[in-house]
C-alpha cells in the first residue's frame, strides 16, 4: 500500500508521521529508543493520557521503508486546525497545557525538547498534545532548549493580542505561528513593560538575542541551571500567560448574536431553529461546517445530533464567546475557529504544503450558511454563481438562508454605498444555485422575509 | 598490593558495555536551535528563578501547615 510521509513531518530525526491508506502512523527511529522507553515505562505516558493531556496511541507492527525502532498509531484528531485559526482563549489554553506537560514530565525525569504551538490540537473541546516524540530525558543542569520557541509561539502572540490588537493574531498565518521577540517588543505598548513576566520573557529576552555571545564549552557544562531554576522558569511563564487577558469589548457581531430580536421575532427564531434542526437531520452528516457561525448557536443544533461541527467566524469576540461556552458545557463536538470565509486560511510552510489550507482539509458533509449570503454577495461583491461554485466543490449538503433586499440588515449594508446589485433577488438566487444544486426543500421563516433552503450538490 | 581476581574481568566488560550502550543510545536528538542568546539568558536569570521558586514552594508549605482542611492540590504535578 502506498506510504506517504506527512508534509510537515521532516524536522525531527526521532521519527516522523506517515499515512498508509487511510491510517496515520508515527515511526520511531532507533536514536529515540531510550527516550520513548522512558516515556512509556516511567509512568509519564499513563499520567498524561489519563488526564487527557496527551494523544493516546497503540504500538503496531507495520513494515517501514527505513530502519525503525517501533511504529505507533496515534488516535485521530477530528479536524486539524492551526494556531493562527485559534481565538485568544484557545491559544492561551494551548500554552498552559504545554507548561503543565513540562511540569508533569519533570517529575518523571523528562522534558519537552520543543514547544511549538503546532504540537497542540483540539479534540473534545479541549487542547491535547499530539507530538509523542517531543519528550526527552531530563539532564540536570541544562536550561530549557525550547524556552525561546515557547516565548515566540505563545507568549509573544498572546501578549500582542492582549496589549496591542487581537487582530494581529491573524498575522501568525504568514509567520508560521511565531512572533519574533524583538518584533513583539516593538509592537507592545510601554504599559506592557510593567508586567514583570513580559518584561523578563519578552523585553530582556529580546535584548539577550542581540548579544554576540559565544557559548563556551565551560558555560555549556556549567550545570548552573538547576532543577529549581527550571521549575521557577515554568512557574514564571505560567503566571505570565495567565496574566494575559483580552480587553473585553463588545464587537458588532457578538452583540448581533445576543440581540437576535433585531432580525427575527421570537416565533421566527424558534421556527428557524426548528427548521434548521429538521434539515440537519435529513442530511445525516458526520462533519458540518457552520460558516459565519457567530457564537455557534446553530452549530449546537448539529452537535446535539452527534455531528462534529467546525464553527467558523471572522469576529474574534464571537469565536472567543463560542469557545468559552464550549468549555462551560464540556462540549466535545464543536471546534470554534477564527476564519474569514472570504479569505480562508492558506496553505503555508515548506513548498506551500507543510500546513494545509482550509480547503485542503476534510470537506464537510453539510455546510450551514445562515444569515450569511448577503454578507458574501453584497458586503463582498460576490456573485451568486461564484458562491454556488465554491459551496458545491466543498460539500454535498447545503443549508442556506436567503435574505431579501428588503431586509433591515441589507439596508444597513447599503447605507453608505451605491446599490450595484440589481441582480440580487430570490429568483436569480434559485437560478444560480439551481445550476450546481438540487433544491430539496425550502421554508419561509415565520414573521420574516428570509427563506431557508436545503440543497444537495448535483 | 592486592591482587584482583581474574573472574571479575568479564563482569567489568559487561558493565562497561552496558554503560557505553546507554551513553550511545541517549543523544538528546533535540533538533531545535535554542538560540545562543536564550541559552545564556536562562543561565543569567537562573538564580532569580530558583530563588523565586524556593520562596513560592516554602510559602505553599507554610500555608498548607496552617490549614486545618487542606485545599485540593491544584498543582499536583509540582516537584
Amino acid at each position: 500500500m502506498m506510504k506517504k510521509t506527512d508534509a510537515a513531518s521532516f524536522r525531527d530525526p526521532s521519527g516522523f508521521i506517515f499515512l498508509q491508506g487511510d491510517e496515520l502512523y508515527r515511526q520511531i527511529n532507533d536514536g529515540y529508543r531510550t527516550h520513548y522507553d522512558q516515556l512509556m515505562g516511567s509512568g509519564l505516558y499513563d499520567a498524561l493520557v489519563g488526564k487527557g493531556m496527551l494523544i493516546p496511541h497503540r504500538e503496531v507492527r507495520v513494515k517501514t521503508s527505513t530502519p525503525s525502532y517501533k511504529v505507533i498509531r496515534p488516535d485521530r484528531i477530528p479536524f486539524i486546525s492551526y494556531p493562527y485559526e485559534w481565538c485568544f482563549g484557545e491559544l492561551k489554553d494551548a500554552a498552559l497545557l504545554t507548561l503543565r506537560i513540562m511540569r508533569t514530565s519533570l517529575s518523571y525525569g523528562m522534558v519537552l525538547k520543543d514547544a511549538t504551538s503546532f504540537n497542540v490540537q483540539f479534540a473534545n473541546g479541549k487542547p491535547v498534545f499530539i507530538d509523542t516524540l517531543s519528550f526527552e530525558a531530563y539532564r540536570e543542569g541544562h536550561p530549557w532548549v525550547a524556552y525561546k520557541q515557547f516565548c515566540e509561539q505563545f507568549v509573544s502572540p498572546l501578549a500582542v493580542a492582549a496589549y496591542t490588537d487581537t487582530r494581529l493574531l491573524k498575522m501568525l498565518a504568514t509567520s508560521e505561528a511565531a512572533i519574533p521577540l524583538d518584533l513583539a517588543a516593538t509592537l507592545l505598548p510601554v504599559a506592557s513593560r510593567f508586567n514583570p513576566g513580559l518584561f523578563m520573557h519578552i523585553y530582556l529576552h529580546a535584548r539577550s538575542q542581540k548579544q554576540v555571545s559565544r557559548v563556551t564549552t565551560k558555560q555549556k557544562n556549567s550545570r548552573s541551571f538547576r532543577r529549581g531554576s527550571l521549575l521557577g522558569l515554568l512557574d514564571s511563564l505560567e503566571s505570565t500567560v495567565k496574566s494575559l487577558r483580552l480587553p473585553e469589548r463588545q464587537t458588532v457581531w457578538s452583540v448581533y448574536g445576543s440581540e437576535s430580536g433585531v432580525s427575527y421575532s421570537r416565533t421566527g427564531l424558534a421556527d428557524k431553529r426548528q427548521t434548521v434542526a429538521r434539515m440537519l437531520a435529513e442530511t445525516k452528516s458526520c462533519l458540518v461546517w457552520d460558516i459565519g457561525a457567530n457564537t455557534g448557536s446553530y452549530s449546537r443544533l448539529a452537535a446535539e445530533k452527534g455531528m462534529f461541527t467546525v464553527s467558523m467566524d471572522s469576529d474574534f469576540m464571537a469565536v472567543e464567546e463560542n469557545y468559552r461556552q464550549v468549555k462551560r458545557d464540556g462540549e466535545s463536538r464543536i471546534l470554534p475557529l477564527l476564519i474569514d470565509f472570504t479569505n480562508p486560511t492558506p496553505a503555508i510552510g515548506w513548498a506551500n504544503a507543510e500546513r494545509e489550507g482550509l480547503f485542503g482539509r476534510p470537506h464537510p458533509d453539510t455546510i450551514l450558511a445562515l444569515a450569511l449570503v448577503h454578507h458574501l454577495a453584497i458586503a463582498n461583491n460576490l456573485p451568486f454563481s461564484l458562491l454556488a461554485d465554491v459551496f458545491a466543490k466543498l460539500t454535498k449538503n447545503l443549508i442556506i438562508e436567503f435574505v431579501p433586499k428588503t431586509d433591515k440588515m441589507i439596508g444597513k449594508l447599503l447605507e453608505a454605498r451605491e446599490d450595484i446589485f440589481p441582480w440580487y433577488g430570490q429568483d436569480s438566487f434559485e437560478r444560480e444555485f439551481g445550476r450546481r444544486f438540487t433544491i430539496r426543500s425550502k421554508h419561509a421563516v415565520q414573521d420574516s422575509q428570509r427563506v431557508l433552503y436545503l440543497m444537495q450538490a448535483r | 598490593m592486592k591482587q584482583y581476581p581474574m573472574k571479575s574481568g568479564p563482569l567489568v566488560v559487561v558493565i562497561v558495555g552496558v554503560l557505553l550502550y546507554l551513553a550511545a543510545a541517549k543523544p538528546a536528538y533535540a533538533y531545535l536551535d535554542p538560540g545562543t542568546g536564550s541559552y545564556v539568558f536562562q543561565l543569567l536569570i537562573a538564580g532569580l528563578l530558583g530563588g523565586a521558586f524556593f520562596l513560592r514552594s516554602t510559602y505553599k508549605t507554610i500555608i498548607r501547615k496552617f490549614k486545618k482542611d487542606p485545599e485540593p492540590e491544584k498543582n499536583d504535578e509540582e516537584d
Side-chain angles (χ1 to χ4, degrees), chain A residues 135-429:
Chain A
F135 299 88
E136 70 167 9
Y138 171 58
R139 292 175 299 164
E140 179 81 45
H142 288 256
W144 190 21
V145 68
Y147 169 56
K148 182 180 175 192
Q149 189 177 46
F150 183 83
C151 291
E152 292 190 330
Q153 303 239 293
F154 288 111
V155 185
S156 283
L158 287 169
V160 164
Y163 280 88
T164 314
D165 197 312
T166 320
R167 291 172 298 175
L168 288 168
L169 280 182
K170 298 246 67 179
M171 79 191 235
L172 294 175
T174 46
S175 64
E176 290 188 280
I179 298 184
L181 297 171
D182 60 334
L183 180 54
T186 315
L187 289 169
L188 287 168
V190 175
S192 65
R193 283 168 211 239
F194 293 101
N195 179 322
L198 289 185
F199 185 65
M200 181 168 0
H201 302 300
I202 302 282
Y203 287 100
L204 292 183
H205 194 183
R207 296 278 298 275
S208 76
Q209 306 300 304
K210 299 199 176 112
Q211 307 285 333
V212 181
S213 48
R214 274 167 279 135
V215 179
T216 61
T217 320
K218 182 170 174 282
Q219 277 175 319
K220 255 193 171 159
N221 295 335
S222 68
R223 297 187 178 232
S224 49
F225 202 77
R226 279 166 295 127
R227 193 192 196 93
S229 300
L230 180 53
L231 285 165
L233 179 68
L234 297 176
D235 272 357
S236 173
L237 287 170
E238 184 173 41
S239 42
T240 308
V241 170
K242 279 189 177 157
S243 75
L244 299 170
R245 275 184 215 100
L246 274 184
E248 298 293 328
R249 56 185 173 86
Q250 281 183 326
T251 59
V252 175
W253 289 117
S254 43
V255 169
Y256 175 74
S258 57
E259 288 181 16
S260 38
V262 171
S263 296
Y264 309 94
S265 68
R266 204 178 315 162
T267 330
L269 200 60
D271 182 40
K272 179 176 173 182
R273 288 184 69 84
Q274 224 171 359
T275 312
V276 170
R278 180 178 47 79
M279 289 176 169
L280 277 167
E282 281 182 51
T283 66
K284 302 197 206 322
S285 302
C286 292
L287 177 65
V288 174
W289 286 8
D290 184 357
I291 300 176
N294 193 260
T295 53
S297 51
Y298 294 95
S299 301
R300 280 162 175 83
L301 291 178
E304 267 165 34
K305 293 176 169 25
M307 304 172 181
F308 188 85
T309 305
V310 183
S311 198
M312 328 177 179
D313 202 277
S314 58
D315 178 81
F316 67 89
M317 270 323 284
V319 182
E320 186 73 28
E321 183 51 45
N322 193 354
Y323 179 61
R324 286 177 192 170
Q325 205 182 331
V326 163
K327 287 205 292 183
R328 278 194 299 262
D329 300 342
E331 175 64 65
S332 60
R333 287 192 212 90
I334 293 182
L335 175 60
L337 291 181
L338 190 61
I339 289 176
D340 178 353
F341 196 70
T342 63
N343 183 17
T345 322
I348 64 164
W350 178 251
N352 277 5
E354 198 181 336
R355 311 291 174 191
E356 272 176 330
L358 180 66
F359 288 10
R361 277 169 257 170
H363 288 183
D365 303 307
T366 297
I367 282 184
L368 285 178
L370 305 172
L372 178 73
V373 74
H374 51 306
H375 290 286
L376 299 176
I378 301 215
N380 281 279
N381 297 36
L382 279 159
F384 288 143
S385 55
L386 284 185
L387 295 179
D389 275 347
V390 166
F391 285 138
K393 274 199 195 97
L394 284 174
T395 187
K396 176 159 169 272
N397 303 294
L398 175 64
I399 299 174
I400 185 165
E401 184 178 16
F402 177 74
V403 179
K405 237 190 206 176
T406 45
D407 191 281
K408 228 185 288 186
M409 282 295 152
I410 295 194
K412 271 210 168 87
L413 291 174
L414 290 173
E415 242 168 16
R417 54 185 300 204
E418 224 179 285
D419 186 344
I420 50 165
F421 312 96
W423 48 265
Y424 187 97
Q426 193 171 2
D427 292 336
S428 61
F429 174 80

Side-chain angles (χ1 to χ4, degrees), chain A residues 13 33-35 100 104 114 136 143-145 147-149 200 205 208-209 213 215 225 227 229 231 233 235, chain B residues 21 25-29 31-32 34 36-43 45-46 49-50 53 56 75 77-79:
Chain A
R33 177 196 299 253
T34 51
H35 305 283
R100 275 182 70 201
T104 306
D114 64 2
E136 70 167 9
W144 190 21
V145 68
Y147 169 56
K148 182 180 175 192
Q149 189 177 46
M200 181 168 0
H205 194 183
S208 76
Q209 306 300 304
S213 48
V215 179
F225 202 77
R227 193 192 196 93
S229 300
L231 285 165
L233 179 68
D235 272 357
Chain B
Y21 164 80
K26 229 183 188 177
Y29 267 66
Y31 66 93
L32 189 66
T36 313
S38 300
Y39 193 96
V40 173
F41 181 65
Q42 284 180 81
L43 297 177
I45 60 174
L49 295 169
F53 175 71
R56 188 163 167 264
N75 270 346
E77 306 97 283
E78 222 171 274
D79 213 28

Side-chain angles (χ1 to χ4, degrees), chain B residues 4-76:
Chain B
Y4 289 96
M6 291 301 285
K7 280 184 231 161
S8 69
L11 180 62
V12 170
V13 170
V14 169
I15 291 172
V16 170
V18 168
L19 288 175
L20 281 175
Y21 164 80
L22 287 174
K26 229 183 188 177
Y29 267 66
Y31 66 93
L32 189 66
D33 174 10
T36 313
S38 300
Y39 193 96
V40 173
F41 181 65
Q42 284 180 81
L43 297 177
L44 287 175
I45 60 174
L48 179 69
L49 295 169
F53 175 71
F54 173 74
L55 286 173
R56 188 163 167 264
S57 45
T58 312
Y59 170 78
K60 275 188 145 189
T61 317
I62 293 172
I63 294 295
R64 233 177 283 149
K65 284 208 171 99
F66 273 101
K67 278 196 189 291
K68 293 252 163 84
D69 296 86
E71 260 182 19
E73 270 298 329
K74 275 191 214 156
N75 270 346
D76 53 319

